[in-house]
Amino acid sequence: MLQKLIACACIVAFATTAQAQLKTPAPSPTQTVKQDFGVSSVELIYSRPGIKGRKIFGDLVPYGQVWRTGANAATRLKFNDDVMIGGQPLKAGEYALYTIPGESEWKIIINKGSANWGTDYKQEDDILRVKVKPMKMEAPVESFTMQFANIKPTSMELHIMWDKTAVAVPITTDVDKKVMAQIDQLMNKDSRPYFGAAMYYMETGKDLNQALAWFDKAIEQTPNAYWVYHQKANALAKLGKKEEAKQTATKSMQLAKEQKNEDYVKLNEKLLASLK
């Protein structure tokens, strides 16, 4: 009898241990999305339920009610710098994202409850609300999907997509003051970022003559830098100085050939062709 009891106890212990170790696929798997934006970054953590043959908006996700915007724990958005959501300011920090879907309008809610379980919403913790228009997609998206898209130096969109419905949430950031402050500060140091400063001036439509002066300084720092010559040629072309641009692009192409960089050889060939 004692042996039988011991044997039964061992079987129960084995079964319990095996059950505790069992790992199966999550029905709504978690996804983490990290995106560089402006001079900082954004992180999104959310769960991804599937359609699984169900009617989604207006049924599984009712219209006019707060939705956790995913499954399981609250969807989290972490901004490492201040941003604007739909034109409204938001300080750097971690927040919960909720939504109120509607047939003709969605409300996007940024809320303090980043540690919430998805259904633990409190309206008094809202930071801001933004209204956006839903769009109909031709093909259904089976797994609930969120992503950052149309990413530019100072703007991007958060896309929310499921079934045949999509919304785009505009996000912007003001980086010009920060970059200009960095340029002012770093230009007073021994290792001056001439190339980076010149590129910023050229790409943001600032003083191109100042950009040219900095490209020249960058060439003094690194005389064989074919990439600097190429960007200087672009700046000269923007200023309408075609002959100088051609000479500079030719120099860049020569250096690129010597250093066996075919990408820059082709870039300079295209630039020279555009200057004819």
Side-chain angles (χ1 to χ4, degrees):
M1 179 62 73
L2 180 60
Q3 288 178 340
K4 287 183 179 180
L5 288 172
I6 292 172
C8 288
C10 288
I11 291 170
V12 171
F14 176 79
T16 302
T17 302
Q19 186 174 6
Q21 292 177 345
L22 181 64
K23 194 170 185 179
T24 60
S28 300
T30 300
Q31 182 175 48
T32 299
V33 181
K34 294 183 178 180
Q35 178 63 56
D36 289 343
F37 179 51
V39 293
S40 186
S41 62
V42 182
E43 183 174 302
L44 168 68
I45 302 173
Y46 72 107
S47 294
R48 306 185 64 189
I51 296 176
K52 300 176 182 176
R54 300 172 292 184
K55 180 181 178 183
I56 302 303
F57 295 108
D59 190 356
L60 179 67
V61 179
Y63 288 135
Q65 295 182 25
V66 174
W67 178 40
R68 71 178 78 184
T69 318
N72 304 325
T75 290
R76 287 180 285 159
L77 268 171
K78 183 179 180 182
F79 297 96
N80 291 312
D81 206 346
D82 298 349
V83 296
M84 302 276 282
I85 307 284
Q88 297 187 43
L90 182 68
K91 293 289 186 184
E94 185 171 275
Y95 302 95
L97 171 68
Y98 294 95
T99 53
I100 301 178
E103 288 188 83
S104 58
E105 181 179 85
W106 279 43
K107 292 183 177 72
I108 309 299
I109 303 168
I110 303 296
N111 183 278
K112 292 179 183 177
S114 60
N116 288 353
W117 185 251
T119 53
D120 296 337
Y121 168 75
K122 295 179 183 177
Q123 186 170 344
E124 59 266 29
D125 288 338
D126 285 359
I127 303 293
L128 62 84
R129 289 188 174 202
V130 173
K131 295 178 182 179
V132 294
K133 297 291 183 183
M135 299 169 283
K136 289 294 180 184
M137 298 185 292
E138 291 186 8
V141 173
E142 172 63 32
S143 296
F144 175 63
T145 299
M146 291 200 284
Q147 64 183 23
F148 298 108
N150 297 328
I151 300 158
K152 299 175 183 177
T154 60
S155 67
M156 67 177 179
E157 294 173 339
L158 171 62
H159 287 183
I160 302 173
M161 300 171 288
W162 202 15
D163 199 359
K164 290 189 175 182
T165 298
V167 296
V169 184
I171 303 173
T172 58
T173 184
D174 181 7
V175 299
D176 192 60
K177 289 181 181 177
K178 293 172 184 156
V179 174
M180 293 301 292
Q182 289 182 65
I183 290 173
D184 289 343
Q185 179 188 12
L186 293 171
M187 284 302 178
N188 293 319
K189 296 187 176 181
D190 291 338
S191 181
R192 297 177 181 179
Y194 291 118
F195 180 69
M199 286 298 297
Y200 184 75
Y201 264 50
M202 185 168 69
E203 290 175 350
T204 56
K206 295 186 183 295
D207 186 350
L208 283 175
N209 288 303
Q210 177 62 75
L212 280 176
W214 282 336
F215 280 132
D216 286 337
K217 290 288 187 182
I219 289 170
E220 289 178 15
Q221 289 177 328
T222 315
N224 294 323
Y226 49 83
W227 59 92
V228 181
Y229 278 100
H230 178 72
Q231 296 300 347
K232 179 185 175 182
N234 281 325
L236 287 165
K238 286 177 182 288
L239 284 169
K241 299 180 178 182
K242 285 191 174 183
E243 290 306 314
E244 291 181 62
K246 287 179 184 179
Q247 293 172 12
T248 306
T250 301
K251 176 67 173 179
S252 174
M253 186 162 61
Q254 176 191 342
L255 290 170
K257 286 179 179 178
E258 290 173 0
Q259 298 176 55
K260 295 180 172 53
N261 191 305
E262 291 301 319
D263 289 339
Y264 269 86
V265 171
K266 291 177 182 177
L267 285 172
N268 283 297
E269 286 174 346
K270 288 181 180 179
L271 179 56
L272 287 167
S274 72
L275 293 170
K276 290 181 180 179

